Amino acid sequence: MSNQDESLETLQDIRRMMERSSRFISLSGLSGVSAGVFALVGAYIAHLWLGGYYHDYNRRGSYAGEDFHSLILRLLILAAIVLACALVFAFYFTWKKTMNNDLPMWDHASKKLIINLLIPLMTGGLFVLGLLYQGEWFLVAPACLVFYGLALVNASKYTLTDIRYIGFFEIALGIVNIFYPDYSLYFWAIGFGAMHIIYGLIMWWKYDRNAQNK
């Protein structure tokens, strides 16, 4: 090996070390797949509940306020359960990947990632609560997609840059959803379900598969 090749390899090693110190690169593609599966299951359950509610509406010809508030409460609980399951499995798969790669789970890069992810997410959560309080139900799904996309774009500076592209897609999907509110559940299923599964499989193939074969 020539001195030039050795210098190039040394520079590549330094670059990898700097990347590991500034970016959290242990996100698992399986985390995205599991989150997408839970989102699709939740969307299907919500579809059944909404179908039953509107079936009753068509039968009696009017909305029942008590039934409507009960439906909203059930949907919120369902969303919380889906989110909790997605977070638990995301933590598990990411923890497993860090153990396999002998990397720390909680370091400066992961702290930066969490902080930059939570700022748009918490802002969006408060915004959605405001929409619910004002009765603007048709804007809830678009707002969730837009703020989630902003969170991914913001956090991509401290993890895999590929996340930025799914963030852009979520933002665009949320904006389009504003003009088609009657299809919000389908937009939700695409953004939080299908896209997570596709992204997770791509990330697994690109980063995790080779690591597992070593």
Side-chain angles (χ1 to χ4, degrees), residues 73-125:
L73 179 60
R74 284 191 291 150
L75 290 174
L76 290 175
I77 293 174
L78 176 63
I81 293 174
V82 169
L83 177 61
C85 291
L87 290 175
V88 168
F89 276 81
F91 175 84
Y92 169 74
F93 286 121
T94 301
W95 170 81
K96 187 175 180 180
K97 185 177 179 180
T98 58
M99 294 297 101
N100 291 338
N101 295 336
D102 196 25
L103 294 172
M105 178 76 175
W106 186 250
D107 57 10
H108 179 73
S110 59
K111 292 177 185 177
K112 288 286 188 179
L113 170 64
I114 294 298
I115 291 173
N116 283 270
L117 185 70
L118 285 180
I119 291 174
L121 281 183
M122 294 180 67
T123 304

Side-chain angles (χ1 to χ4, degrees), residues 128-182:
V128 167
L129 287 177
L131 292 176
L132 291 172
Y133 180 78
Q134 296 295 335
E136 303 292 344
W137 313 105
F138 69 98
L139 289 176
V140 169
C144 288
L145 289 167
V146 169
F147 279 100
Y148 179 61
L150 291 172
L152 293 180
V153 172
N154 200 45
S156 65
K157 297 178 292 185
Y158 301 98
T159 185
L160 303 173
T161 53
D162 307 76
I163 289 180
R164 180 180 306 166
Y165 303 112
I166 189 175
F168 291 147
F169 182 86
E170 299 284 355
I171 294 172
L173 197 64
I175 292 174
V176 174
N177 187 190
I178 295 175
F179 299 96
Y180 302 95
D182 292 340

